[in-house]
Amino acid sequence: MIEAAAYTVIAPDVQSADGCRVWAFTVIGSGVVMGARCVVGSHSYIGRETVMGDDVRIQSLVFLPNRTRLGARVFIGPGVVMTDDKHPRVNHPDYDAQPPIIDDDVSIGAGAVILPGIHLYAGCMVGAGAIVTHDVPAGETWAGLPAKRLHRWPTPPIGGGWLTRTRGTP
Amino acid sequence: MIEAAAYTVIAPDVQSADGCRVWAFTVIGSGVVMGARCVVGSHSYIGRETVMGDDVRIQSLVFLPNRTRLGARVFIGPGVVMTDDKHPRVNHPDYDAQPPIIDDDVSIGAGAVILPGIHLYAGCMVGAGAIVTHDVPAGETWAGLPAKRLHRWPTPPIGGGWLTRTRGTP
Amino acid sequence: MIEAAAYTVIAPDVQSADGCRVWAFTVIGSGVVMGARCVVGSHSYIGRETVMGDDVRIQSLVFLPNRTRLGARVFIGPGVVMTDDKHPRVNHPDYDAQPPIIDDDVSIGAGAVILPGIHLYAGCMVGAGAIVTHDVPAGETWAGLPAKRLHRWPTPPIGGGWLTRTRGTP
């Protein structure tokens, strides 16, 4: 059950657990599966067959390609763009979509760009405006262009949720 | 009084002086105060209780967090994202919002990202695509990732408005 | 003839060849001319009098200023922002718009920002998140902030279309 603002486009076959909300001017594509209490901000595009764990927070102006996989408690800041095509060309005959995989408790800062096929491991953090061209290991913070490691978390992040996989995470 | 395009979401308690315009697919949050002749482009999200001086120009695809403060004659280019949370995490117990403060006559280039708690002082300019991690002094131009000083304005910018606070600026 | 999703704003004087599609929450400005089979994704703003060749693909959350010129088979990734004003200031008395010129078979990666007056020559590619401050020669790939050359294409890109101007390209 989704509580939707005015002016939303939500495909009829979207599945969602309780407590989900979608803000104005957002598109939720066909086949998307949303865990409990997920919130998607305004002006966002959630590609087809994307799967979200529980308590995901997606801010405004976010683009997720088809079949993006998001764990539980993932935070995606405003203006974040993810991609799935390493060699974008019009009518590319060898187009092989590589959507991102985002594990539990990952936070992605505003305006970051995630390149195709990237895996962000549990509890890592991506700085605002980072261009992420390599996988980010669990619990690390990366930033810059291209993104590089800033530091490891000295202690588990709030809640410690990234140490154990959470029931209900896809 | 706001002249609003089709498909806008403007909270009923928004206050505005004469001559304001809001383009399609834009959200103006509750408690926002707009000075005279402000223009907000398409696909933008203006957070709750944001305050704008006179003659502000906000382009398309802009995100402003709640309680952003904009002086008079602020120019915000397309795709600019501002933030208020230094340590974004889902259900963060210590969340302490630090919205940006933008003084009179500031111009922010397209696609720039402004980190939480940043103060952009009067008449400064932020280059397109800059990631702004520190306050920018009055009259300077900063660009890059992270943004660094390019130069000072040799003369006051057009109008010289930044030398004196303007009546009506919040 | 344009096949338009719900919630689109398409000026009545837009001209288009067969097979064009426009997704939700997108604005197509007055005087735009679209070639055959062009697709514009969601949440995009196509400035007035922009001209597109055939088979252009514009993804979501894209901003094109007025009078942008796009050749045939141009690919524009999600979140790309183009600009036309080198010295943005509110009520600038010397405002001289310099929209971008994008030749045939150019691909622009997600989240890239294109500065005013830039010419992207035929078949070149711009990396995701690049900030493009100089013209990009034909067939080269540029990335970074500011964008610099990564390499030349060893062979013509798929289709080889950039070697010859295409009938119907503006």
Side-chain angles (χ1 to χ4, degrees):
Chain A
M1 177 61 193
I2 298 176
E3 180 186 345
Y7 307 127
T8 50
V9 174
I10 300 176
D13 62 352
V14 169
Q15 300 177 49
S16 64
D18 287 347
C20 291
R21 279 183 292 153
V22 174
W23 291 53
F25 309 126
T26 280
V27 176
I28 310 285
S30 177
V32 168
V33 178
M34 301 171 73
R37 300 170 301 279
C38 290
V39 180
V40 183
S42 66
H43 310 92
S44 289
Y45 178 91
I46 308 302
R48 292 191 301 278
E49 298 173 42
T50 289
V51 177
M52 305 180 196
D54 294 340
D55 295 299
V56 166
R57 297 286 177 279
I58 298 173
Q59 304 294 312
S60 295
L61 297 161
V62 168
F63 181 86
L64 300 187
N66 298 337
R67 286 182 291 284
T68 298
R69 300 191 78 82
L70 303 175
R73 297 172 303 282
V74 169
F75 177 97
I76 302 179
V80 169
V81 173
M82 303 196 189
T83 61
D84 68 356
D85 188 357
K86 282 199 180 170
H87 301 287
R89 288 279 172 192
V90 172
N91 297 329
H92 197 309
D94 298 321
Y95 174 48
D96 174 30
Q98 297 176 281
I101 300 174
I102 318 292
D103 287 351
D104 292 356
D105 299 292
V106 168
S107 286
I108 304 175
V113 176
I114 311 297
L115 268 73
I118 293 293
H119 193 149
L120 302 180
Y121 288 87
C124 76
M125 186 173 274
V126 170
I131 311 296
V132 181
T133 59
H134 288 89
D135 293 353
V136 178
E140 295 190 356
T141 296
W142 286 40
L145 187 176
K148 292 189 160 57
R149 186 168 73 186
L150 287 188
H151 59 262
R152 298 177 192 271
W153 285 106
T155 54
I158 288 80
W162 62 281
L163 294 173
T164 53
R165 300 294 295 185
T166 302
R167 183 181 55 81
T169 304
Chain B
M1 178 60 195
I2 298 176
E3 180 187 343
Y7 308 127
T8 51
V9 174
I10 300 175
D13 63 352
V14 169
Q15 300 177 50
S16 64
D18 286 347
C20 291
R21 279 183 289 155
V22 173
W23 291 52
F25 310 126
T26 279
V27 176
I28 311 285
S30 178
V32 168
V33 178
M34 300 171 73
R37 298 171 301 277
C38 290
V39 180
V40 183
S42 66
H43 309 93
S44 289
Y45 177 92
I46 309 301
R48 292 190 302 277
E49 299 174 42
T50 289
V51 177
M52 304 180 197
D54 294 341
D55 295 299
V56 166
R57 297 285 177 282
I58 298 173
Q59 303 294 311
S60 295
L61 297 163
V62 168
F63 181 86
L64 300 187
N66 298 338
R67 286 182 291 284
T68 299
R69 300 191 79 81
L70 303 175
R73 297 172 303 280
V74 169
F75 178 97
I76 302 179
V80 169
V81 173
M82 304 197 189
T83 61
D84 70 356
D85 188 357
K86 282 198 181 170
H87 302 287
R89 287 280 172 192
V90 173
N91 298 329
H92 196 309
D94 299 321
Y95 174 48
D96 174 30
Q98 297 177 282
I101 301 173
I102 318 291
D103 288 350
D104 293 356
D105 299 291
V106 168
S107 286
I108 304 175
V113 176
I114 312 297
L115 267 73
I118 293 293
H119 193 149
L120 303 181
Y121 288 87
C124 76
M125 187 173 272
V126 170
I131 311 297
V132 182
T133 59
H134 288 88
D135 293 353
V136 178
E140 296 189 357
T141 297
W142 285 40
L145 186 175
K148 292 189 160 56
R149 186 169 71 186
L150 287 188
H151 60 262
R152 297 179 194 270
W153 284 107
T155 53
I158 287 83
W162 63 281
L163 294 173
T164 54
R165 297 297 293 184
T166 303
R167 181 182 57 81
T169 304
Chain C
M1 179 59 196
I2 299 177
E3 180 187 344
Y7 307 128
T8 51
V9 174
I10 300 176
D13 63 352
V14 168
Q15 300 177 49
S16 65
D18 286 347
C20 291
R21 280 184 289 154
V22 173
W23 291 52
F25 309 126
T26 280
V27 176
I28 311 285
S30 177
V32 168
V33 178
M34 300 171 73
R37 299 171 300 278
C38 290
V39 180
V40 182
S42 66
H43 310 93
S44 289
Y45 177 91
I46 308 301
R48 292 191 302 277
E49 300 175 40
T50 289
V51 177
M52 304 179 197
D54 294 340
D55 294 299
V56 166
R57 296 287 176 280
I58 298 173
Q59 303 295 310
S60 294
L61 297 161
V62 168
F63 180 86
L64 301 187
N66 298 336
R67 286 182 291 283
T68 299
R69 298 191 79 81
L70 303 175
R73 297 172 303 281
V74 168
F75 178 97
I76 302 179
V80 169
V81 173
M82 304 196 189
T83 62
D84 68 357
D85 187 357
K86 282 199 179 170
H87 303 285
R89 287 281 173 192
V90 172
N91 297 329
H92 196 309
D94 299 320
Y95 173 48
D96 174 30
Q98 297 177 280
I101 300 174
I102 317 293
D103 288 350
D104 293 356
D105 299 291
V106 168
S107 287
I108 304 175
V113 176
I114 312 296
L115 268 73
I118 293 294
H119 194 148
L120 303 181
Y121 288 87
C124 77
M125 187 173 271
V126 169
I131 312 296
V132 182
T133 60
H134 287 89
D135 293 353
V136 178
E140 296 189 358
T141 297
W142 285 40
L145 188 176
K148 291 188 161 56
R149 186 169 71 187
L150 287 188
H151 60 262
R152 297 179 194 269
W153 285 106
T155 52
I158 287 82
W162 62 282
L163 293 173
T164 53
R165 300 294 294 184
T166 302
R167 184 181 54 81
T169 305

